[in-house]
Structures are given as C-alpha cells and as structure tokens.
C-alpha cells in the first residue's frame, strides 16, 4: 500500500468516525430537547390546566409532578372513575411515557369549600357561556343587530341593552336559558327602536331575514344545537339547500323535536325547516 492510499484510508476512517460521533451527538441533543425542566414544567402545566377545566376534577386538591416524561399524580378523590380520569388525562399529554397514579380514593373525602372564590375553570365556564349566548343571538334572524350585553357569573346570565321587538326580547331570554351550563337568566332587555348609539333598528329586516349561503346556515344550526342544553345536537344531521333546512336523526322526546325545529327556524337565512326525518 503506497502512502497515498494509506492517507486516503486514514482520511476516510476519520470522516466516518466524525460522522458517527455527530449522529450520536445529534441524537443526544434531540433527546435532551424532548426532556428537561422546561419540558417537564410545560407538561405539568398542561395536565394541571386540564384538571382545572374538568368539572369532575377541579374541586379536588390534586398534585402533578413530571420528571423526564414520567407523571406522578397524588391527592384525593371520592370515586374510582375520577382517579381513572385523572390518569387518562395525564397519559394523553404529548411526551408523557409513564403515569404513576398515587391518587387516593376516599368515599368520605370532602372537597374543599371554594364557594367564596372563583377558580380558573369557573372563569372559563362563564366566558364559554357568554360566548355561546352571544353567538346564538348573533345568528338568530330575530335578534341580529341587537344592542345587547351578556354577562355571566357562576352560570347566571344577565341580559341588558335594547331590542327592536317584544318577540326579540322573549326569544333572547329563551336562547340564553337553553344554553348549556346556564343556571338562570336575568332579563333586563328593553324594547326600543334605537340603540344606545342612536342607530335605528329595521324591524322588517329582522322579520324577513336575509339571503345567506347554505353552508353557513348548516354550520350555525349545528352549532346552535351543540350550545343548547335541551337538544342532543350530535344525534341530529343538518342539511341546507336554497335556505331549506332538513333535519334527520333521533331525539328523546317531542319537546326536544319541537325545540330543534324552532332553533333551526330562528337562524338567519332559513326559509323553512323539513323535519319528517327527525323522529323520537
């Protein structure tokens, strides 16, 4: 072997060695990027936030710690199903490879009294209700453009402002009352031809509705069902063609069927509702 070939083989060996070392280093860096204090803290926060938002877990004093992808849960709950739920939530977080569920099930456990304080989950619940009520009022052909303020506190909704007609005032209360999570409605709406900024309502427009895309109507009917506490929206299919809404599926009662039809009829752009395929 001449000197040239020897140098070439040596250079090749060094290059391969450096390449292998770089691959190992890259793998270590990638693994490190998927773990560490920052990642652990983010995963802990994600699990804890989900517990806070859950109506089944928020009242319990639960503790979460994460170390290199392993989540350790502790605290007390009243039922096995709540312990299982806490474990399932933790296991579902991206990057969590193992869950050590040390939560104690105690049928006599009394959740802490937090009636005087509002937790993060309570604030989110109220904000969600407010958004749902506002959306339903905005999508309705009778309440569109109303100068209405919606405030929710502990599930209690307060409506204030002005509406164009007595029908709109009654409908606004009904839409709010049938929203999921609402405990009561304080209706302070006033019937007036003008809004607080002096603009006039067009009552005729509120009654006749407007021409709107069928896809928009279908989406808003489905969303209204999902927001409503007395309609099983997931069991009802909705199709719209030239403003005519067709409802199909199965509901629990005649009252639920009637409410579903009424909610669909109130959406802007709806000309009529076909409900022969909506049975109970």
């Amino acid at each position: 072997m001449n000197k040239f070939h020897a140098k070439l083989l040596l250079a090749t060996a060094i290059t391969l060695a450096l390449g292998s070392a770089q691959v190992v280093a890259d793998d270590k860096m990638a693994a490190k990027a998927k773990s560490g204090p920052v990642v652990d803290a983010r995963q802990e926060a994600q699990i804890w936030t989900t517990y806070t938002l859950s109506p089944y877990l928020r009242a319990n004093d639960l503790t979460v710690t994460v170390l290199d992808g392993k989540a350790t849960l502790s605290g007390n709950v009243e039922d096995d199903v709540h312990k299982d739920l806490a474990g399932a939530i933790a296991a579902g977080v991206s990057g969590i490879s193992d869950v050590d569920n040390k939560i104690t099930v105690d049928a006599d456990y009394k959740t802490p009294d937090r009636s005087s304080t509002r937790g993060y989950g309570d604030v989110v619940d109220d904000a969600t209700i407010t958004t749902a009520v506002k959306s339903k009022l905005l999508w309705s052909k009778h309440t569109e453009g109303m100068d209405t303020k919606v405030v929710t506190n502990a599930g209690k909704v307060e409506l204030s402002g002005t509406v164009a007609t007595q029908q709109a005032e009654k409908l606004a209360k009904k839409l709010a009352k049938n929203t999921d999570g609402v405990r009561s409605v304080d209706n302070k709406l006033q019937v007036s031809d003008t809004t607080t900024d002096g603009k006039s309502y067009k009552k005729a427009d509120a009654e006749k509705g407007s021409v709107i895309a069928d896809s928009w109507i279908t989406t808003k009917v489905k969303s209204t069902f999902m927001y409503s506490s007395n309609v099983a929206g997931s069991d009802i299919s909705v199709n719209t063609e030239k403003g005519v809404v067709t409802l199909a599926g199965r509901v629990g009662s005649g009252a639920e069927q009637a409410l579903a039809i009424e909610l669909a009829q109130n959406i802007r752009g709806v000309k009529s509702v076909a409900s022969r395929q909506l049975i109970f």
Side-chain angles (χ1 to χ4, degrees), residues 47 51 64 71-73 84-94 96-99:
I47 296 171
Y51 288 172
V64 181
T72 302
L73 315 178
D84 293 340
L85 173 60
I89 289 172
V93 171
S94 178
I96 297 297
S97 57
D98 185 29
V99 177

Side-chain angles (χ1 to χ4, degrees), residues 5-265:
H5 287 151
K7 289 182 178 179
L8 180 60
L9 288 174
L10 179 60
T12 302
I14 292 174
T15 301
L16 291 173
L18 289 174
S20 299
Q22 184 62 46
V23 170
V24 173
D26 290 344
D27 288 342
K28 289 182 177 180
M29 289 181 65
K32 186 176 181 181
K34 295 180 180 180
S35 62
V38 175
V39 176
D40 291 342
R42 184 177 71 244
Q43 292 168 337
E44 285 179 11
Q46 187 173 348
I47 296 171
W48 180 85
T49 300
T50 307
Y51 288 172
T52 304
L53 294 176
S54 170
Y56 304 105
L57 300 175
R58 69 175 55 161
N60 300 282
D61 285 325
L62 300 179
T63 301
V64 181
T65 58
V66 176
L67 180 62
D68 295 335
K70 179 179 180 179
T72 302
L73 315 178
S74 59
N76 297 276
V77 294
E78 296 180 24
D79 301 298
D80 287 320
V81 290
H82 294 162
K83 177 179 179 177
D84 293 340
L85 173 60
I89 289 172
V93 171
S94 178
I96 297 297
S97 57
D98 185 29
V99 177
D100 184 8
N101 194 341
K102 295 182 178 180
I103 295 175
T104 300
V105 178
D106 182 0
D108 296 325
Y109 172 69
K110 301 298 180 184
T111 57
D113 182 12
R114 296 189 177 93
S115 58
S116 59
T117 60
R118 280 167 56 79
Y120 176 66
D122 299 319
V123 173
V124 172
D125 284 349
D126 285 343
T128 301
I129 290 172
T130 295
T131 300
V133 173
K134 285 182 176 180
S135 297
K136 291 168 74 174
L137 296 178
L138 178 64
W139 301 335
S140 172
K141 66 178 68 174
H142 301 297
T143 56
E144 175 194 4
M146 294 190 333
D147 184 24
T148 305
K149 183 177 180 181
V150 181
V151 177
T152 308
N153 187 6
K156 300 176 182 178
V157 175
E158 178 181 286
L159 303 177
S160 60
T162 55
V163 293
T165 65
Q166 195 71 36
Q167 179 188 13
E169 183 265 338
K170 292 181 179 179
L171 180 61
K173 180 179 180 180
K174 186 172 184 178
L175 288 174
K177 188 175 181 180
N178 285 322
T179 300
D180 194 28
V182 172
R183 297 180 181 179
S184 64
V185 178
D186 183 8
N187 189 359
K188 296 182 178 180
L189 291 171
Q190 301 293 321
V191 178
S192 174
D193 288 336
T194 58
T195 64
T196 54
D197 59 5
K199 294 181 180 179
S200 297
Y201 281 114
K202 295 181 180 180
K203 296 182 181 180
D205 290 343
E207 294 297 330
K208 71 181 181 182
S210 54
V211 178
I212 297 175
D214 288 339
S215 59
W216 186 94
I217 294 173
T218 296
T219 300
K220 302 315 176 189
V221 171
K222 288 182 177 179
S223 296
T224 299
F225 288 167
M226 295 303 295
Y227 286 157
S228 300
S229 55
N230 298 315
V231 174
S234 60
D235 296 331
I236 303 174
S237 67
V238 181
N239 182 61
T240 307
E241 185 174 353
K242 295 181 180 180
V244 178
V245 174
T246 300
L247 304 179
R250 183 174 294 276
V251 292
S253 65
E256 183 180 352
Q257 180 192 54
L259 179 59
I261 295 170
E262 180 182 356
L263 290 173
Q265 288 175 332

